[in-house]
Amino acid sequence: MLLHRLTLCSRIPLDHQRHVCRLLTRPLTQVPHGRDHGSSFAHRGELRQAKRIVVKLGSAVVTRGDECGLALGRLASIVEQVAMLQNQGREMMIVTSGAVAFGKQRLRHEILLSQSVRQALHSGHNQLKDMSLPVLEARACAAAGQSGLMALYEAMFTQYSTCTAQVLVTNLDFHDDQKRQNLNSTLQELLRMNIVPIINTNDAVVPPPEPNSDLQGVISIKDNDSLAARLAVEMKADLLIALSDVEGLYNSPPGTDDAKLIDIFYPGDQQSITYGTKSRVGIGGMEAKVKAALWALQGGTSVVIANGTHPKVTGHVITDIVEGKKVGTFFSEIKPAGPTVEHQTEMARTSGRTLASLHPDQRSEIICHLAELLTEKKDEILAANKMDMDLAVNAGHLPPAMLKRLSLSPAKLNSLAVGLRQIAVAAQDSVGRVLRRTRVAHNLELEQITVPIGVLLVIFEARPDCLPQVAALAIASGNALLLKGGKEAANTNRVLHQLTQEALSMHGVSEAVQLVSTREEVEDLCRLDKMIDLIIPRGSSQLVRNIQRAAKGIPVLGHSEGICHVYVDAEASVDKVIKIVRDSKCDYPAACNAMESLLIHRDILRTPLFDQIIDMLRTERVKIHAGPRFASYLTFSPSEAKSLRVEYGDLECCMEVVDSMQEAVDHIHKYGSSHTDVIITENEETAEQFLHQLDSACVFWNASSRFADGYRFGLGAEVGISTARIHARGPVGLEGLLTTKWVLRGDGHTAADFSEQGTMKYLHENLPVGQPLAGQRDSN
């Protein structure tokens, strides 16, 4: 019945078939550039260049959990991804299991139906009552299931106007030269016609595999892993994707203690792997997959082993791999000189715990030494920064605001050193500070103390001054730090990181701050949810939004936009208005704390103050976008704002009219981003209401929005500005990088002592907090 329905689904009218043929034979766009076969890709990012791809579907991927029948949902998702890549101009081939499972389902159905008929014919006779299902032989199941499996693929691919062709092979087809040439020629012709070949071993006739039967330099077809590897090399494929029921290759059997997924596997690492048992179905297993993968790698084909059964990733596992994302285990012949990012994170965590246990004076000493190095080594730093600036200017892709952030100067380095010394002072009473001390009962005291968050990942763009600032804050708070800087500042970041490690080495914790210099994508770093405790993005709103989307398992501290408002009240001072509006908008338009919307009280319209505001903005070459209400008051208005929720990041701003302070608050709540908002007024009562009612991270009265900065707040530096409502808000300095834990000191107390039958009583007596801990009592 199922086969009949699939056959009906695959029947399409002749005119539609002609349309599909025209679609398949017309020139395609987005075709990846071909490459000379002979060496595999060295890095995941290069997988985007893969043109010819073999996708191997293991038995556990294709079959259901009961091993009878196919996992149709997974197959449909896989078919969609393969068809999408095919339509991009890639040449896709599938090596599939599933014929035995499909045949077993079909034969069991037929046998049960036959038994039911015979039982009905012989009703009343006892000889058939104990009839049971016979053991189904695998070759017979394969023979019965192969046609149904192919019909299923054909019906699924037809939905994407993609043609398929079935190719059944045996071991002899590769060992016999004539047969191998014929197979190669057939597959080449199918690929040329934009048809997806679906290949499987001819399990209806193939003999059982013989152990240790590999010929020298030639891999035998014992399972679909070896078949896929042999086919990939024979067809000079760029990439082999082997999907199974595990995330990839682990250093020990998955599920065991300390089992770790291997991101990149290199030839020669086999000795470090302990293999587990095979999957519930199939005859391969991970050892067979690794052997096949290494054989294909030696033949010039890149290999990725990944999970094709996980419901959350199955829908995009193949396309993610081709896009170069960190999925599964990537096999590479080139081993990088430095450690992997996972190893860097582990080193940072281990060294960070030692850093947290240091005496506060020692952490301050490290930061002060780093401040000294910034001035002592300024020539080396500025020389590296000049290299970055020259490269950026020659490339011509950085806007002026980004170039300004990238540039360092002696004055900037001196300012950085001053800020670091402020952080060093604050580090004296940070980690281990007692926030609350309570005597719960006699000789039973409870303390709440500050502790580091753990491992921080800070991602920043072309702003190298961020590196020493963030490093100093991490050191002061006892946190391990992973830094990912923009490639535009690669030379400057490298020198600054070396100086940071030099300062940390004073007390043997040089590995607590790590700079990611490998070709890691931001999305890949955001997936290290078991290793990283907090992500802090420093950059454009687009960068922050991308990280917030990618970091599904890690908290992100930051703001997606800086839509800051300045409200000019009816009772505002003329001089203050001009000074504050000019500074808020024109001092540094690209900053997140720059004014983007100017709200004017209605009574100010057509007054000398209004004229002065307009004249000042025009003098400063600020382009004004009129809000809808402001535009309605004017005969000839500026260009109307497309939206009242825009972060211009340039010499542009929106201007709108409101009737009252309350209306200004409501407007900001609706269109703002909860970053920084300002009121300019001489009416204290109005100002206090504004400060109280407005729910933003920073709310100012008669002060420029540019004051929303950690350095100006006296924090020494900041890791960013947060608009979140949990943990920290506004400019986040040292305090924002600490959390707390509870410490209870008793004398043999038990919970039973305080039961209804017990004699003890809770006192809950608050005790003086006193001085911070000396740094020795808590090692986090």
Side-chain angles (χ1 to χ4, degrees):
M1 185 65 68
L2 176 60
L3 273 177
H4 178 66
R5 287 199 299 268
L6 291 172
T7 304
L8 290 177
C9 289
S10 64
R11 293 174 183 170
I12 53 179
L14 182 60
D15 58 340
H16 184 64
Q17 292 181 25
R18 291 184 181 135
H19 168 73
V20 171
C21 289
R22 286 195 300 271
L23 178 68
L24 295 175
T25 54
R26 73 182 182 184
L28 292 169
T29 58
Q30 302 179 355
V31 179
H33 296 292
R35 67 185 185 98
D36 295 331
H37 193 80
S39 62
S40 59
F41 295 120
H43 307 284
R44 282 185 183 268
E46 296 174 349
L47 296 180
R48 300 185 185 94
Q49 305 172 26
K51 179 176 176 61
R52 183 168 290 181
I53 302 171
V54 176
V55 178
K56 180 263 173 181
L57 307 179
S59 300
V61 176
V62 176
T63 61
R64 296 198 313 246
D66 59 5
E67 303 176 26
C68 294
L70 304 181
L72 297 179
R74 287 202 293 265
L75 274 181
S77 175
I78 289 168
V79 165
E80 181 180 19
Q81 295 172 78
V82 171
M84 185 183 77
L85 293 172
Q86 180 84 359
N87 291 331
Q88 288 178 359
R90 305 180 198 268
E91 298 174 341
M92 305 298 297
M93 291 179 280
I94 294 178
V95 175
T96 182
S97 302
V100 173
F102 204 156
K104 186 183 292 186
Q105 180 191 35
R106 181 180 179 187
L107 292 181
R108 281 185 174 180
H109 176 75
E110 293 297 330
I111 291 171
L112 287 173
L113 181 62
S114 176
Q115 284 182 347
S116 299
V117 172
R118 280 183 284 175
Q119 189 75 39
L121 292 174
H122 296 84
S123 57
H125 300 277
N126 295 327
Q127 63 267 30
L128 294 177
K129 287 184 178 180
D130 298 327
M131 181 175 286
S132 58
L133 281 173
V135 176
L136 298 176
E137 203 271 337
R139 283 195 291 269
C141 291
Q146 190 63 51
S147 60
L149 178 64
M150 192 60 207
L152 177 64
Y153 277 120
E154 185 178 352
M156 287 182 171
F157 273 106
T158 297
Q159 310 306 312
Y160 303 97
S161 300
T162 302
C163 293
T164 59
Q166 182 182 38
V167 180
L168 297 177
V169 298
T170 65
N171 210 24
L172 295 176
D173 296 324
F174 288 95
H175 291 291
D176 183 280
D177 289 341
Q178 185 61 49
K179 290 185 176 181
R180 190 177 73 254
Q181 291 175 10
N182 291 342
L183 174 62
N184 188 304
S185 177
T186 299
L187 292 174
Q188 294 285 5
E189 183 67 11
L190 292 173
L191 294 175
R192 188 187 68 81
M193 293 188 294
N194 204 33
I195 294 173
V196 177
I198 298 177
I199 303 111
N200 196 0
T201 53
N202 193 350
D203 292 326
V205 299
V206 71
E210 298 179 9
N212 303 318
S213 62
D214 290 348
L215 302 178
Q216 185 174 3
V218 179
I219 188 169
S220 299
I221 301 176
K222 300 177 182 179
D223 48 59
N224 275 346
D225 294 309
S226 54
L227 168 61
R230 183 65 196 265
L231 182 74
V233 173
E234 178 67 30
M235 297 301 297
K236 296 182 179 179
D238 300 310
L239 173 62
L240 166 60
I241 299 175
L243 299 182
S244 65
D245 58 350
V246 292
E247 305 300 322
L249 177 61
Y250 287 78
N251 59 352
S252 57
T256 59
D257 293 340
D258 300 325
K260 294 181 180 178
L261 178 66
I262 299 174
D263 172 39
I264 306 178
F265 188 77
Y266 309 95
D269 286 354
Q270 297 95 312
Q271 303 301 322
S272 63
I273 305 299
T274 303
Y275 296 103
T277 58
K278 298 178 182 179
S279 65
R280 58 179 173 81
V281 290
I283 60 174
M286 187 53 71
E287 189 170 4
K289 289 176 177 59
V290 171
K291 184 176 181 180
L294 292 175
W295 193 88
L297 190 67
Q298 187 179 11
T301 297
S302 296
V303 183
V304 175
I305 296 177
N307 191 340
T309 64
H310 198 293
K312 291 185 178 180
V313 298
T314 302
H316 45 78
V317 59
I318 298 174
T319 52
D320 277 357
I321 290 171
V322 176
E323 289 173 7
K325 295 181 180 179
K326 187 174 287 190
V327 178
T329 299
F330 172 63
F331 286 72
S332 175
E333 290 187 301
I334 300 177
K335 194 165 188 174
T340 64
V341 68
E342 290 83 1
H343 188 206
Q344 282 186 285
T345 310
E346 289 179 358
M347 290 190 297
R349 183 181 290 279
T350 301
S351 191
R353 285 171 175 155
T354 305
L355 173 68
S357 67
L358 294 177
H359 192 281
D361 290 340
Q362 294 174 306
R363 287 193 292 271
S364 296
E365 190 178 2
I366 293 172
I367 300 169
C368 287
H369 186 42
L370 178 57
E372 293 169 0
L373 289 173
L374 290 179
T375 54
E376 290 175 6
K377 305 284 187 178
K378 66 179 179 181
D379 292 339
E380 184 179 347
I381 298 170
L382 295 176
N385 186 246
K386 186 178 184 303
M387 291 174 59
D388 289 328
M389 288 292 295
D390 291 343
L391 289 171
V393 171
N394 293 334
H397 64 274
L398 283 186
M402 290 280 281
L403 285 173
K404 186 176 180 181
R405 290 178 181 174
L406 176 60
S407 175
L408 291 181
S409 64
K412 259 191 178 181
L413 293 177
N414 290 335
S415 178
L416 278 173
V418 172
L420 263 57
R421 290 188 177 94
Q422 292 180 1
I423 297 173
V425 173
Q428 293 289 336
D429 60 350
S430 57
V431 180
R433 178 161 46 92
V434 180
L435 301 179
R436 181 182 304 173
R437 181 178 287 130
T438 304
R439 181 179 289 124
V440 179
H442 181 65
N443 286 337
L444 185 64
E445 291 187 5
L446 178 68
E447 290 179 342
Q448 185 185 23
I449 61 175
T450 57
V451 293
I453 290 174
V455 178
L456 311 177
L457 167 61
V458 177
I459 302 170
F460 55 101
E461 293 176 321
R463 46 178 76 198
D465 55 332
C466 174
L467 195 152
Q469 289 178 337
V470 173
L473 288 169
I475 295 166
S477 56
N479 284 290
L481 180 61
L482 201 63
L483 292 160
K484 174 65 173 176
K487 61 180 181 295
E488 301 86 0
N491 294 298
T492 315
N493 288 339
R494 184 176 62 254
V495 173
L496 291 173
H497 178 248
Q498 289 171 352
L499 298 180
T500 303
Q501 288 194 309
E502 182 179 337
L504 287 163
S505 64
M506 293 179 62
H507 295 290
V509 287
S510 60
E511 295 178 342
V513 176
Q514 299 283 334
L515 179 65
V516 179
S517 56
T518 56
R519 300 169 60 144
E520 298 290 335
E521 298 291 342
V522 169
E523 286 189 10
D524 295 332
L525 293 172
C526 291
R527 294 177 182 176
L528 300 177
D529 57 297
K530 295 182 181 179
M531 310 172 75
I532 294 171
D533 300 296
L534 179 66
I535 300 176
I536 304 173
R538 291 287 305 270
S540 66
S541 58
Q542 186 61 48
L543 170 71
V544 178
R545 283 194 296 268
N546 290 342
I547 291 173
Q548 288 173 332
R549 282 194 296 265
K552 297 179 180 178
I554 310 175
V556 178
L557 190 150
H559 65 278
S560 58
E561 291 175 310
I563 305 176
C564 303
H565 292 74
V566 173
Y567 165 57
V568 181
D569 187 56
E571 300 179 67
S573 163
V574 175
D575 294 337
K576 293 177 183 178
V577 168
I578 301 302
K579 287 177 58 180
I580 292 172
V581 172
R582 176 188 285 116
D583 188 73
S584 296
K585 179 70 261 184
C586 307
D587 176 62
Y588 190 3
C592 63
N593 58 13
M595 181 193 78
E596 305 295 356
S597 291
L598 178 61
L599 302 181
I600 303 289
H601 193 283
R602 182 185 57 184
D603 293 346
I604 294 178
L605 290 177
R606 299 182 179 91
T607 66
L609 173 57
F610 177 76
D611 294 338
Q612 290 183 49
I613 295 173
I614 297 298
D615 290 341
M616 181 273 294
L617 292 176
R618 285 175 177 169
T619 302
E620 297 290 343
R621 298 184 178 181
V622 177
K623 183 177 180 180
I624 299 173
H625 301 275
R629 190 171 179 189
F630 178 45
S632 69
Y633 282 96
L634 305 175
T635 305
F636 300 100
S637 69
S639 61
E640 190 165 343
K642 295 180 180 179
S643 171
L644 297 177
R645 193 181 286 112
V646 176
E647 182 179 16
Y648 296 100
D650 205 344
L651 286 173
E652 299 181 63
C653 74
C654 173
M655 185 177 289
E656 184 58 307
V657 175
V658 293
D659 288 339
S660 64
M661 179 276 298
Q662 187 61 54
E663 190 172 315
V665 169
D666 295 339
H667 179 101
I668 295 171
H669 281 160
K670 184 174 182 179
Y671 299 109
S673 61
S674 300
H675 191 293
T676 301
D677 299 291
V678 175
I679 182 172
I680 307 176
T681 184
E682 295 304 300
N683 188 312
E684 182 176 352
E685 182 179 353
T686 301
E688 290 299 334
Q689 289 180 4
F690 183 90
L691 299 177
H692 177 72
Q693 293 182 28
L694 192 60
D695 184 22
S696 294
C698 298
V699 188
F700 299 162
W701 172 24
N702 287 349
S704 168
S705 62
R706 293 281 288 124
F707 271 103
D709 176 84
Y711 186 79
R712 294 185 175 94
F713 279 14
L715 304 179
E718 65 181 34
V719 294
I721 294 181
S722 171
T723 56
R725 284 162 173 77
I726 299 176
H727 183 50
R729 294 189 76 188
V732 180
L734 179 56
E735 293 293 325
L737 300 182
L738 295 170
T739 184
T740 65
K741 73 177 181 183
W742 296 90
V743 176
L744 185 65
R745 295 182 176 87
D747 188 21
H749 298 81
T750 67
D753 294 336
F754 298 91
S755 65
E756 292 183 1
Q757 292 78 22
T759 57
M760 289 187 176
K761 293 183 179 179
Y762 291 113
L763 298 177
H764 289 300
E765 177 186 353
N766 292 325
L767 301 175
V769 170
Q771 297 298 317
L773 299 180
Q776 303 300 323
R777 187 181 293 179
D778 173 47
S779 60
N780 191 33

